Amino acid sequence: MNGTSRIVVLPGDGIGPEIVAAARDLLDALGQFSYDERLMGGCSIDEHGTALTDEVLDACRNADAVLLGAVGGPKWDTTDPGAPRPEQGLLGLRKGMGLYANLRPVRPSPALVGASPLREERIAGTDLLVVRELTGGIYFGDSGREGDVAHDVCEYSVEEVDRIARTAFDAARRRAEGSGRKPKVTSVDKANVLETSRLWREVVGRVAAEYGDVELEHLLVDNAAMQLVSRPADFDVVLAENLFGDILSDEAAMLTGSLGMLPSASLGAAGAPGLFEPVHGSAPDIAGKGLANPLATFLSAAMMLRHGLGRGGDADRVEAAVDAVLERGLRTADLASEGGDQVGTAEMTAAVLEELDG
Ligand code: IPM
Ligand code: MG
């Protein structure tokens, strides 16, 4: 990539501004970036009456990458179908930027295995990646209400399934490189009931035939939800449509016991800018108190460096620095553990920066 990378920064709501500011400090320690900070989410509703303006969407489309904090909060909670909601900004960005592939890696940090609600021996060796389809399915189908009846249509095309399946198989290959193990994709559907799932299974099977070196397993979504907690270490890449992927990625995230640790990347066509954000929400209860855990945002920035800006070496450095501070025992309140030092956002950030220098 030539010149200074242009990053559109969307701090959003709640703890968003704090963790994104910390991520900017981290990025500044790694190189030179130009930032274009914009409103998206509840803050944009307050200012413009809509969660995402055309101007901000345009800026995102023209950036090298987009870094997002978190959106939403009780202030904007509503069941009025006509009222603007912060989440619409996120969905508008996904659709408007063509971000059809959502990658959510789940790898419990060795120092945090004790934080998992599952027994240590059960999660030992867990290292999986959820690949979630992000711009199709029931999230984007026709929806409406007629009197006492409401509907949300789930639709998938061959093309939509084909491209996300390729993302999953490619990711499985990349993850296994040099490890000597056979990569595996677990495709999740509800093919015993849903027609979209039967199409899904058919297309995934066809794509799999082109990846003879990758093992393919099909699981029904209810079974997948159960297997994820009973044998998490057996999963490699989990491929799911939009709604199933939303649900299973939260479940998988909890395997680590620390939702506050997980990053995500939303990617579109090759060369188009991606969107990088922590999986956790805007935590309005602790907003503005300097308590927020910035690590998921740091790890999201690492995904941005690797997948969005071609700086894999810097991404490795950030991930190693995060592991190192956890190893040293530093914990924000959400990771509360016995014996560790409890620190706030600023101290955690300073410690990670120190590790980067060291
Ligand atoms: C996520 C979130 C969003 C989703 C919400 C906020 C619309 O849960 O990114 O997983 O359902 O996709
Ligand atoms: Mg979700």
Side-chain angles (χ1 to χ4, degrees):
M1 199 155 290
N2 293 318
T4 309
S5 298
R6 290 166 304 123
I7 302 171
V8 167
V9 177
L10 307 172
D13 311 314
I15 58 169
E18 299 159 62
I19 53 179
V20 155
R24 281 181 58 162
D25 290 343
L26 174 85
L27 289 167
D28 288 340
L30 291 167
Q32 227 191 349
F33 300 92
S34 89
Y35 306 103
D36 179 6
E37 229 174 90
R38 304 286 186 135
L39 296 179
M40 197 280 286
C43 54
S44 174
I45 293 178
D46 289 349
E47 188 74 20
H48 303 293
T50 173
L52 174 67
T53 61
D54 292 343
E55 202 189 326
V56 171
L57 175 58
D58 265 354
C60 290
R61 281 187 178 132
N62 290 312
D64 291 318
V66 180
L67 183 66
L68 168 67
V71 295
K75 182 176 177 194
W76 305 281
D77 277 350
T78 171
T79 50
D80 171 0
R85 281 172 291 111
E87 295 76 15
Q88 288 166 338
L90 199 52
L91 298 177
L93 272 178
R94 290 173 182 171
K95 199 67 172 181
M97 295 175 69
L99 305 171
Y100 63 84
N102 184 220
L103 312 186
R104 296 184 176 181
V106 176
R107 181 177 13 194
S109 161
L112 290 178
V113 279
S116 173
L118 297 187
R119 284 197 306 276
E120 208 167 315
E121 66 268 24
R122 193 150 279 199
I123 56 157
T126 297
D127 178 357
L128 62 88
L129 173 71
V130 179
V131 175
R132 169 189 175 192
E133 201 290 327
L134 207 55
T135 49
I138 200 165
Y139 273 56
F140 291 96
D142 179 55
S143 68
R145 224 186 253 215
E146 303 84 28
D148 289 345
V149 181
H151 70 271
D152 297 281
V153 173
C154 181
E155 212 170 86
Y156 267 107
S157 69
V158 169
E159 189 207 337
E160 286 172 307
V161 182
D162 183 278
R163 66 185 180 181
I164 191 70
R166 286 176 196 282
T167 303
F169 282 93
D170 287 337
R173 255 185 195 165
R174 212 174 327 112
R175 284 162 53 85
E177 248 167 46
S179 73
R181 84 181 159 76
K182 187 173 167 111
K184 182 165 102 181
V185 169
T186 300
S187 174
V188 174
D189 62 40
K190 190 72 185 173
N192 54 345
V193 179
L194 303 175
E195 195 53 38
T196 41
S197 281
R198 287 188 280 270
L199 178 86
W200 180 275
R201 197 174 275 220
E202 201 179 296
V203 176
V204 171
R206 275 208 297 270
V207 172
E210 295 177 34
Y211 292 79
D213 52 318
V214 184
E215 183 187 338
L216 169 65
E217 156 186 63
H218 295 287
L219 281 188
L220 296 172
V221 61
D222 46 350
N223 189 19
M226 185 182 76
Q227 305 285 347
L228 260 177
V229 285
S230 63
R231 52 171 187 98
D234 288 350
F235 289 90
D236 180 1
V237 171
V238 177
L239 165 64
E241 62 90 63
N242 205 342
L243 179 63
F244 296 162
D246 177 44
I247 297 167
L248 292 181
S249 61
D250 265 27
E251 188 192 5
M254 203 52 216
L255 294 173
T256 67
S258 41
L259 195 58
M261 287 300 303
L262 296 176
S264 82
S266 302
L267 307 174
L275 173 83
F276 303 85
E277 60 173 318
V279 169
H280 64 69
S282 61
D285 51 321
I286 59 161
K289 297 186 178 156
L291 297 174
N293 179 356
L295 297 181
T297 314
F298 292 173
L299 295 172
S300 302
M303 289 189 92
M304 175 175 83
L305 290 162
R306 179 178 296 120
H307 298 282
L309 304 177
R311 300 173 68 138
D314 285 334
D316 292 343
R317 286 180 66 202
V318 171
E319 288 164 356
V322 168
D323 275 346
V325 298
L326 292 171
E327 210 55 63
R328 269 167 52 189
L330 271 73
R331 302 284 185 271
T332 39
D334 57 305
L335 303 175
S337 73
E338 353 48 75
D341 298 334
Q342 193 155 309
V343 300
T345 314
E347 285 161 282
M348 187 58 110
T349 304
V352 172
L353 292 182
E354 210 174 282
E355 288 295 336
L356 275 185
D357 288 340

